[in-house]
Amino acid sequence: MDLGPLRSHAARELAEETGSDTAAHALVPGPVILDARGSPGFLFVAPPRPASEPRDRHARSARAEVAAGVEPEFDGVELIGSLSELRALPGPSASCLELAAGRFLGA
């Protein structure tokens, strides 16, 4: 399977959602998950970054969207270390987020 297009899409989504400038080739393939409908999700791992970087990049991206008259999709970036931390976050989340986080957190 050619992961190039999936890797490129993942890099675009990462940039769109967090303001990250991670190159597609730097993303390492992770686990594949199936959501509740059986649709596959291809997960990728980005290189480690200081915790402040994704938060700062998201904040800059959100300010630029607001300045352009666009409502940011997300309020902020949360870094979690356990499923209990994920479950404690307020608001809605993507239906496959818990499954994806569990794969990376070893749950």
Side-chain angles (χ1 to χ4, degrees), residues 33-47:
I33 61 169
L34 296 176
D35 69 11
R37 296 177 308 206
S39 298
F42 295 86
L43 306 178
F44 290 86
V45 180

Side-chain angles (χ1 to χ4, degrees), residues 6-94:
L6 292 172
R7 188 179 271 125
S8 294
H9 180 74
R12 279 192 306 276
E13 283 295 314
L14 185 60
E16 179 182 304
E17 306 300 350
T18 68
S20 170
D21 61 355
T22 302
H25 70 271
L27 298 176
V28 176
V32 176
I33 61 169
L34 296 176
D35 69 11
R37 296 177 308 206
S39 298
F42 295 86
L43 306 178
F44 290 86
V45 180
R49 310 270 180 150
S52 60
E53 186 175 320
R55 289 185 176 118
D56 292 346
R57 286 183 181 273
H58 176 270
R60 283 195 302 273
S61 177
R63 282 193 300 271
E65 288 178 327
V66 168
V70 176
E71 180 71 25
E73 185 175 359
F74 300 110
D75 294 336
V77 172
E78 293 291 339
L79 304 177
I80 60 164
S82 70
L83 286 178
S84 61
E85 289 178 15
L86 173 63
R87 292 176 185 136
L89 294 174
S93 65

